[in-house]
Amino acid sequence: MERVSEIVLRRKRLVGLLVLLGFLLGMAATPLTVSRISEEYAYPGMESYQANQAVLEHYGSGGYQRPYVPVVVLPAGQTVDSPGVRDALGRAFAGVGTELEARVASYADTGDRRFVSEDGRTTYALVFTGPTADGSPPGGGLGEVPDETPHIIEALQRELPAGSELRVTGLDTLATGVDSGGLNVPLKIGVAAIAAVIVLLMVFRSALAFVPLVISAVAIPVAFLILLVLTLFTEVHDSALTTMPLLGLGIAIDYALLLITRWREEQAHGHRGDEAVHRAMRTAGKAIIFSSGAVAIGLITMAILPIPFLRSLGVAGMIIAAVSALISLTLLPILLATIGRRLDRQRLEQGTGRGERLIQREANAGRLWTAWARLMVRFRWPVALSSATLLVVLSIIGLQINLGLPESRNLADTGPGREGLTALTDAGLPSGVLSSFDVFVPAGVDPGPVADGLRAAEGVYTVVDLPSWRADGTALLTVVPVHESPSTAGAAELAALRDSLPEGVLAGGSAAQTVDYVNTTYGAFPYVLALIFLVTFVMLARAFRSLLLPLKAIVLNLLSLGAVIGAMVVFWQWGWGTEQALGIQPNGTVGTFVPLTIFAFLYGLSMDYEVFILARMREEYDRTGSTPEAVVQGIGRTGRLVTSAALILFFSFASMAGGGEFDVAVFATGMGLGILLDATLIRAVLVPATVAMMGRWNWWLPVWAARLLRVEPSPLRDETPRETREPELTPA
């Protein structure tokens, strides 16, 4: 890295011009990149997705979309068999179909008494609307489609018998989250940037606080330029547009913070100009390289999945991590070498007692973090055991995660949607009506026997088989189950029904697609995890010249991620404190995409902090020959850095949590909780405690392993007695 800094500083103008050119091209390319982004959620290879797409292609409505269920309670003394009532219902529901371009099934057109209560006063219909502009949400987020309820009510009220009570229910009308119009990315980036400025000003107390923001502001457009090039070869989903700026704001600032902090330390030790930059790059630059590699390794999880929107998330994260590292290692050294001291003049001025104290503060480890590290070293066994116990308990809770769709009993307990469901169930009709789904019968297959087989299947309340639901030689059947598909009974019955379908006949709907999504994304996850761990182990073994440190880092990362999933179960699935904190009612699930995306992002980000800390511990151990002193100095010098970086990332994701978008709020709170948990319990407690526990074995790298890794070996050696070490720096 020192060689890189020499090249960069020797060719300041050329490197600066290239970075400026990349920034300007990126700014110009950003609108074009946005225009080339896909908004479609595609799930190639899934049978349910193929069924849903076939339904939309041939019939224009239904498929993944969950039905609206208008519930009509006729006036006292009237039933569906009263003169003129069925005709009125037919006109009313036909008007809904015409006005909304929807597919509608009711008692009026089917004659099926399963659409009517026993007393004949309550009846319902299934209204399947067309797809949203951006396709279906992944795995089944609720409340993310435009609410057609007002239009349905308006169309029905024109024709319903006078005095009828009308309510519209459905899984989307019962949703606890709302679609408030998207993420409003510029606003949320602005909020995150303001929070970052506040944290950076607290850290640097000078104009130098704005330099990490400059690095971030340059890195994000350059990343968009690379994303534009990528769109020429493959489809990129718009999830990349929302994730890349917020993630880039955090990662780029992290890397800049690391390098600037080390440069300040070198300045405080008397090094000036290019020499201070070279010395900072020799250590912090190497940590940035390995940190960006760790982020990329974590995101491989999503980049190799056959789900386009997840792949786009992974690739976007890898791009912004790589670009942030590149800009930090090229533009930042130039800024520090040329205007760094002027920006930091107030802090480096030696003419006053305050200036002397500030310089001394940079020269030595932080007093608070040094004292904390000594405490962790002294009580390493009890703090490690208690912290690990808490993480294990949370990880065990995480095994109870619900990745499916929510049941109606966990959705909104007030409002028109709940009133409609209550009217339905009070009339003796099953809540499984809300989970009605389509079965696509391809050309050449007789739909009659298929419908008869479905009616005979366990858990099927009725099957809609209308002659009008025929197109291009295909047929469409709609299954109305007794139990809601997300329930235990409903899920088992859906699986059995799908297995019983004839060759070529496909079951669609959100529940089936959710099941296929989970199987596709998580089925091969253990193998992907093993590959990630292997690559991470090799990379960190090279970085730290150790066999135990990378193994410890992987184990702690697993504990951290397991604990985050457990915390998500407590917060979102169990609903402890959710409404009080965010004003959103939990729905008993965590969401299909959440654990995977949280793992991919947090694995890299938490390993980011691990590299920062352990790299400094390794450096201090090589200098002092003492593990306790390496822990104390390592934490003392990186504690403030890691805490500040974590706060900035936390605010980046916290800015996403508001607004009411359920899935976005779940993901953002998961990331925020994970970052705070990792920066506190893991990095501030377990890392120093476990390193202190392992003693000299932390640094062991036998000759055979060193030869394989192509690094210098690190044999076991006795801890250097305290009195023979270099004098310890006294915290200011």
Side-chain angles (χ1 to χ4, degrees), residues 602 605 609 646 649-650 653 670-680:
L602 277 185
L605 293 175
Y609 302 148
L649 272 174
F650 171 78
F653 287 104
M671 291 296 296
L673 285 171
I675 288 166
L676 286 184
L677 178 67
D678 192 80
T680 54

Side-chain angles (χ1 to χ4, degrees), residues 52 84 110 174 234 353 386 402 406 419 435 579 614 629 680 691 696 711:
N52 291 333
T110 64
L174 288 164
T234 185
S386 57
N402 180 5
E419 293 171 2
S435 296
E579 291 188 75
L614 293 183
E629 200 62 25
T680 54
V691 171
R696 61 179 185 153
V711 295

